[in-house]
Amino acid sequence: MPLLIRRTLPGLAAWLAASLVARAAPAPAPPKPKLAVVISVDGLSYARLESYRPLYTAGLKRLLDEGYALRAARYQHLNTETGPGHASLGTGAPPRVTGIVLNSWFEQGPGGALVNVYCTDQKDATGRKIAGPDNLRVPTLGDRLVEKTPASRVVSVSAKDRGAIFLAGKNPVHAVYWWDGEMGRFQSSAAYKAPSAAAAIVKKYNDTQAGGMLPARLGLVWDKLPEPAAAPGAKPYPTAVPANVITRYQVPSLGLGFGHDLSTYGRVPAGAPYGYFGGIYRSPFVDVLTADLALAFLNDAVLKLGQGDVPDLLAISFSGHDPVAHDYGDESEESRDALRRLDLQIGRVLDALEANYPKGTVLLALSSDHGFPTMPEVARALDKTATGGRFETGSDTLNNARARLNRLLADALCLDRSVKVVGAVDGWSLFYSKAFPYRTVAGACGPAGAPVTPADVDRVLPKIVRSVWDEEIEDVIPVPALAGWPEGPVKTFVKNDFDKERSGDAFVIPRWGVMSSYSPGRGAMHGTHHEYDIHVPLVFWGAVKSGASDAATTPYDLAPTLGRWLGVALPDAVGMPVDLPR
Ligand SMILES: [Zn+2]
């Protein structure tokens, strides 16, 4: 009897299986994930990407044609800058969770001084300042991946330290590299101890393709790519704002007009690294080098990225478009040329992915840290009804907004005019002086010596700003007023950027078309809660069917979506995995 059962059961199982197959063919198991790829394009709005679509021939064309595009992905935080955006892409959460509320903020230092903290500032073992992930308050997708499968590798490359570091994460085993604008090569810091195979790739690249080799490889001048010939009868290619409208508003960091001499860089902005390597950083050529290094990682026979038993993560942040749009305008010929060149570099990356990995084993996600507005002077030149302007806060020159605001606050609070109540401004965050309480001078407020506290500033600040900058500023929200602020998009954007220790004492809410600015009447700046800054691309490619969706999403969804594909949970994420067609 036992013998009979042993013989019969397998037969029964085979019959059952066969009958199931006859009814519905089981879906083949999807290929195991080998490599997740994150591509961030620094400073690229959805509208800008789409505007030049007919001009793309390589990577951007393929991502848009073959990928799955989420066409309504919008950030929901104020201070849409590179550090905050990359931290959000890396973790799936807004700045209130990541702690990266600005590119740099101000904390209380010794003796009541305000101390500037750059988002990647940290100290090494000897107390020396280095770039690293310590300010990031939660783990990234890369951190969670390595936590789950310690053999997984995370490789991250960018021209900016904050671009590379926040897409990688906090685990020191990650291989994280960024451009050294003084030496013309890629560097890391003591915050990371990359695997020796990764370090060897970068050393070889620096020794054989970077530094002194660059003038021969790239040339000294950034010229415009030749215009493609339009097919007979076809629509003309989309154009940029013509030079005669825009040139007078540009920051001539690499001179005005093509060809831009990369070797002359250094006169503006003051304090920047000088010369050719710094010039490369402010041009689309830096994206060539970023792609070079990403390809060196993808093709390395020792590192074998994405070829192991567990999946790896490759992050690439292309920084080139951001400085170009800052200096020459998002609507400029220079921006158009930078995106055409980026298209070619992303094409190289996609070719390598296809050559190295079986179909369905790679999932790539492309997004951006923030968009860009049109320069207000250009917007007005193109449309006489356009509104907008500049809120100049970067320097402390006599007539800029911060200096004027401090004089008005001193008068309103009966303080000596030498008192700078607002000690610092970054993005749309005001940082009060840490030297309170101040004492009044004799005059309208009575005898001298009455104490003035931050609560007094909170009380008079909104009224002063409204009376002087009503055309630029919609509202001022002192932090104590935030809890009782009417519910709505503005409150959401502010709350998502709020961090008790870092985001300052008051938020300024700019009107449409108004940019915070370091220069009266030149250059462009992002950072607002308006459409042009928050609406960015979110495109998946590889292990996904082509298509598009107009459902509302956020870039916070990028990391959770890749996480679900990798089988990695992100408990700190606020974004949700997107259902991708497979
Ligand atoms: Zn920027």
Side-chain angles (χ1 to χ4, degrees), residues 264-312:
T264 61
Y265 177 67
R267 286 188 285 275
V268 279
Y274 280 72
Y276 179 68
F277 300 139
I280 287 177
Y281 173 84
R282 297 201 84 75
S283 82
F285 288 14
V286 79
D287 292 340
V288 177
L289 310 181
T290 305
D292 282 349
L293 192 59
L295 259 61
F297 278 114
L298 281 172
N299 295 329
D300 189 74
V302 181
L303 188 70
K304 291 186 168 19
L305 195 66
Q307 315 280 2
D309 295 333
V310 291
D312 294 328

Side-chain angles (χ1 to χ4, degrees), residues 32 65 67 84 89-90 132 170 178-180 195 213 287 296 319 323 367-368 397 449 457 462 469 475 493 514 521 557:
K32 259 175 76 178
D65 288 354
L89 294 175
K170 300 172 78 68
W178 57 91
W179 177 245
D180 177 343
M213 268 70 76
D287 292 340
S319 309
S367 190
S368 176
T397 53
V457 183
W469 288 280
D475 255 315
F493 277 83
V514 174
D557 298 339

Side-chain angles (χ1 to χ4, degrees), residues 392-393 395-409 417 419-420 422 425 469:
E392 256 190 274
T393 55
S395 57
D396 210 3
T397 53
L398 269 181
N399 61 350
N400 87 359
R402 174 151 57 107
R404 290 171 67 197
L405 180 59
N406 272 326
R407 289 196 292 274
L408 294 164
L409 281 169
R417 273 195 159 190
V419 172
K420 292 193 167 95
V422 176
V425 182
W469 288 280

Side-chain angles (χ1 to χ4, degrees), residues 42 82 103 160 162 322-323 326 370 372 525-526:
D42 204 312
T82 297
N103 280 341
K160 295 184 182 181
R162 55 194 187 274
D322 182 72
H326 277 297
H370 57 77
F372 258 100
M525 187 66 198
H526 48 82

